[in-house]
């Protein structure tokens, strides 16, 4: 797996190549109409960026409006693949690899920034519509309002958007992307700079959450979803695999309780798959883990310990209601080869 770094040894994340949007009222080029049954959301259960869209789809109750494809957590030289499906093909798109949707949209430059999830693909044509991961979740929460379930929460309330955006900006640079900048650094200086920024931000968030249940406002917002998907992977992957080892998430006070609170909220913990997560990072990043051995721990039952965050007030869904329970795991994997 090729890791993009600059001359200083710092990891540089490639931005999304396809930034079209799916909106309720399209106004020109680069905008597609919201239409139930037209699009397919492609995710990896291992990927924190894709995990965000999975949470929002579930919280909003968009399962019937937007179909879901789940890739194999193990990538090969062509990146995300549908190896878990019968005959190794997505049953709706007919593709073996997600890159096929990228090339269908842009045969010459479709792979310019690599192949990433989440991605939304038009089912009838197989064209990649967007892989703009920050915008996808906002639009699922706002633009798809007509098809959301009764009681769906407001994840990006107008009166709090400036504060949500400000929190998200810091969390993205120092935490969401910060763990990658730490783990993929190719020089000691780049690693130490990223490590320092990561834990400074986590300390700041820990202090912020001592006296308030959620990051912004009194119920779950886009900000909580973006932070949670990194926290869910922290002890299982980032602490050891990416050398983010000043302390574990479980050794924080408010931040660990906050993470457990979210995990125990419908739409969050039931979309976490530690098996997919650990297999992806430990078996794909062979430059970091050449043996490809997948660790057994940590014990996931710790996420179910009481958090007592309800004592701070607020409620997960505000005036709304939780989504219905899932029938079972999203996509179980076969046992590891021994």
């Amino acid at each position: 797996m090729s890791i993009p770094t600059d001359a200083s040894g710092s990891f540089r994340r490639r931005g999304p190549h396809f930034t079209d949007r799916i909106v309720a009222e399209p106004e020109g080029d680069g905008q597609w109409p919201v239409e139930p049954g037209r699009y397919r959301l492609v995710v990896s259960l291992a990927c924190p960026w894709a995990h965000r869209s999975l949470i929002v789809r579930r919280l909003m109750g968009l399962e019937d409006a937007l179909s879901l494809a789940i890739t194999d957590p193990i990538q090969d030289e062509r990146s995300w693949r549908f190896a878990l499906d019968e005959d190794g093909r997505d049953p709706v798109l007919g593709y073996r690899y997600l890159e096929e949707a990228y090339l269908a949209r842009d045969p010459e430059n479709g792979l310019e920034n690599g192949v990433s999830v989440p991605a939304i693909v038009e089912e009838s044509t197989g064209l990649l519509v967007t892989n703009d991961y920050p915008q996808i979740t906002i639009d699922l929460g706002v633009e798809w309002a007509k098809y959301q379930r009764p009681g769906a929460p407001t994840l990006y309330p107008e009166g709090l958007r400036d504060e949500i955006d400000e929190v998200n900006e810091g969390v993205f640079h120092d935490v969401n992307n910060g763990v990658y900048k730490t783990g993929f650094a190719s020089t000691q200086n780049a690693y130490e700079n990223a490590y320092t920024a990561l834990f400074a931000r986590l300390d700041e968030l820990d202090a912020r959450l001592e006296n308030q249940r959620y990051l912004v406002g009194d119920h779950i917002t886009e900000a909580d979803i973006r932070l949670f998907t990194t926290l869910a992977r922290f002890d299982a992957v980032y602490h050891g695999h990416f050398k983010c080892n000043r302390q574990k998430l479980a050794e924080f006070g408010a931040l660990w309780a906050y993470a457990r609170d979210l995990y125990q909220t419908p739409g969050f913990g039931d979309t976490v798959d530690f098996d997919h997560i650990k297999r992806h990072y430990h078996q794909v990043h062979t430059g970091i883990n050449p043996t490809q051995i997948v660790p057994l721990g940590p014990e996931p039952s710790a996420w179910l310990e009481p958090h007592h965050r309800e004592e701070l007030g607020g409620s997960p869904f505000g005036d709304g209601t939780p989504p219905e329970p899932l029938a079972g795991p999203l996509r179980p994997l076969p046992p590891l080869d021994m």
Side-chain angles (χ1 to χ4, degrees):
M1 181 178 180
S2 176
I3 307 299
T5 56
D6 63 17
S8 72
S10 299
F11 170 67
R12 291 290 180 251
R13 178 169 298 280
R14 301 184 183 102
H17 183 62
F18 298 96
T19 56
D20 286 5
R21 294 177 59 196
I22 301 172
V23 297
E25 298 181 3
E27 296 181 346
D29 293 341
Q31 295 195 347
W32 302 57
V34 169
E35 188 177 321
R38 180 171 176 175
Y39 306 104
R40 190 158 178 80
L41 174 64
V42 182
V43 304
S44 162
L45 300 183
C47 173
W49 317 96
H51 190 184
R52 300 173 177 182
S53 62
L54 191 62
I55 292 172
V56 174
R57 175 180 177 268
R58 176 148 161 64
L59 294 179
M60 297 295 100
L62 294 172
E63 290 90 344
D64 292 337
L66 179 64
S67 70
L68 180 68
I70 297 175
T71 68
D72 188 334
I74 308 303
Q75 298 166 286
D76 61 20
E77 67 279 357
R78 295 176 64 183
S79 194
W80 300 108
R81 58 189 187 178
F82 298 104
L84 302 180
D85 291 298
E86 186 176 353
D87 193 34
R89 292 185 183 275
D90 179 79
V92 173
L93 302 173
Y95 291 150
R96 291 188 181 275
Y97 289 89
L98 179 56
E99 73 167 23
E100 296 173 64
Y102 281 65
L103 292 172
R105 173 69 183 276
D106 186 348
E108 294 186 4
N109 301 306
L111 305 183
E112 185 175 275
N113 283 4
V115 178
S116 65
V117 287
I120 297 182
V121 181
E122 187 176 39
E123 292 186 0
S124 62
T125 63
L127 296 176
L128 193 291
V129 176
T130 178
N131 69 333
D132 189 352
Y133 59 91
Q135 194 63 50
I136 285 174
T137 51
I138 290 174
D139 286 344
L140 289 178
V142 175
E143 299 293 335
W144 289 70
K146 182 178 179 180
Y147 303 102
Q148 292 167 4
R149 66 179 178 86
T154 302
L155 299 177
Y156 197 49
E158 291 191 22
L160 297 177
R161 288 181 184 178
D162 287 346
E163 186 177 0
I164 290 171
D165 291 346
E166 181 181 0
V167 170
N168 286 347
E169 183 74 8
V171 167
F172 169 77
H173 287 291
D174 297 333
V175 181
N176 300 145
N177 200 38
V179 293
Y180 288 88
K181 290 191 287 187
T182 305
F184 288 154
S186 61
T187 65
Q188 186 69 29
N189 188 59
Y191 163 74
E192 292 184 8
N193 288 340
Y195 174 103
T196 300
L198 166 65
F199 282 100
R201 185 69 65 178
L202 290 176
D203 287 340
E204 177 187 297
L205 293 166
D206 191 53
R208 181 186 183 99
L209 291 164
E210 284 183 356
N211 298 307
Q212 61 188 66
R213 189 171 180 183
Y214 302 107
L215 283 174
V216 181
D218 59 4
H219 70 273
I220 290 163
T221 67
E222 178 81 15
D224 300 295
I225 294 166
R226 295 192 184 196
L227 178 58
F228 173 78
T229 60
T230 297
L231 298 183
R233 289 155 175 79
F234 200 90
D235 288 0
V237 174
Y238 303 141
H239 176 268
H241 185 64
F242 276 176
K243 306 179 186 69
C244 302
N245 61 353
R246 192 194 78 179
Q247 68 193 93
K248 296 177 181 177
L249 173 64
E251 294 167 346
F252 280 90
L255 198 60
W256 171 225
Y258 161 83
R260 297 199 312 277
D261 186 4
L262 291 177
Y263 184 88
Q264 294 169 36
T265 299
F268 287 81
D270 52 20
T271 58
V272 173
D273 192 306
F274 290 116
D275 194 11
H276 278 248
I277 290 167
K278 290 192 291 186
R279 291 201 204 187
H280 169 72
Y281 285 92
H282 291 287
Q283 293 193 312
V284 172
H285 301 158
T286 54
I288 298 175
N289 185 37
T291 65
Q292 297 182 286
I293 292 172
V294 179
L296 294 178
E299 175 53 55
S301 62
W303 285 88
L304 300 177
E305 294 175 357
H307 53 76
H308 306 295
R309 297 283 293 176
E310 66 279 356
E311 297 171 8
L312 295 173
S315 61
F317 302 100
D319 295 330
T321 57
E324 293 295 320
L326 285 174
L330 289 167
R331 196 63 184 262
L333 294 173
L336 283 163
D337 293 334
M338 303 301 288

